[in-house]
Structures are given as structure tokens and as C-alpha cells.
Amino acid sequence: KSSAASDVYKRQLLNRLQNDDKDGKYEVRNETKDEQEYRDGASGYHFEIYDTSDDSGKKYGDFYVDKDTGKIYKRNTKTEKLEEYKK
């Protein structure tokens, strides 16, 4: 059950990233198949996204999709805090 849900959220996340950056090419390299608490009282799915638009293949970020709201959060690499994803 949970892996099917995580696949739905993964597609939603990749579609959103693709819509925000038409030239971007994004790929999930690691993900949680089971929901996990990513913040106090909030559960969802974690995806490590990599930018494959060039040869560097560098990590684009850690993203979390909330299982209840569908909101997308990205970990700020400087502060390590989760912030709602906005382009």
C-alpha cells in the first residue's frame, strides 16, 4: 500500500519540478517507500532528487511530500530546516 502512495507522490514531485524548470531533468535516486515523520506531527515521503540535465549529476535536494496536504518541502542545505518548496 505505502509504495503505491509513494509512487504517486514521486510523480507529483517530478511533474512539479519539471513544470518549474522546463530545461531541468530530474531523477529520484533514493526514496522512502514508507511514510515517515519528517517534522513534528507531519508525515510524508522523502525523495533525494538529482539534476541530470548535465554531466555533473549533482544532488538537487532532499524533498518531502506531505501525505495529508500534498505540499512539497525542501531541506535548506544551509540551515538544514525544511521549507515549503517554491520555485
Side-chain angles (χ1 to χ4, degrees):
K1 170 181 169 260
S2 29
S3 69
S6 94
D7 287 344
V8 169
Y9 288 118
K10 176 168 61 177
R11 278 196 302 276
Q12 176 186 330
L13 172 59
L14 289 172
N15 287 341
R16 169 79 186 272
L17 293 173
Q18 203 61 63
N19 286 337
D20 286 350
D21 180 3
K22 301 284 188 235
D23 297 327
K25 290 183 175 52
Y26 301 102
E27 169 182 299
V28 173
R29 299 251 174 101
N30 294 304
E31 61 187 287
T32 51
K33 288 291 191 184
D34 299 309
E35 81 185 48
Q36 63 180 40
E37 189 173 69
Y38 63 89
R39 208 165 60 182
D40 285 348
S43 292
Y45 298 91
H46 169 237
F47 303 97
E48 275 184 32
I49 302 291
Y50 286 77
D51 182 352
T52 59
S53 60
D54 61 22
D55 293 335
S56 71
K58 67 179 193 289
K59 186 172 175 179
Y60 183 64
D62 283 293
F63 288 83
Y64 297 80
V65 182
D66 189 281
K67 72 172 181 66
D68 295 318
T69 65
K71 284 188 175 173
I72 297 171
Y73 295 89
K74 182 178 182 187
R75 183 173 304 286
N76 181 317
T77 51
K78 291 183 183 65
T79 65
E80 287 301 308
K81 288 188 167 67
L82 284 181
E83 299 168 349
E84 190 172 340
Y85 170 72
K86 293 179 173 55
K87 183 176 184 289

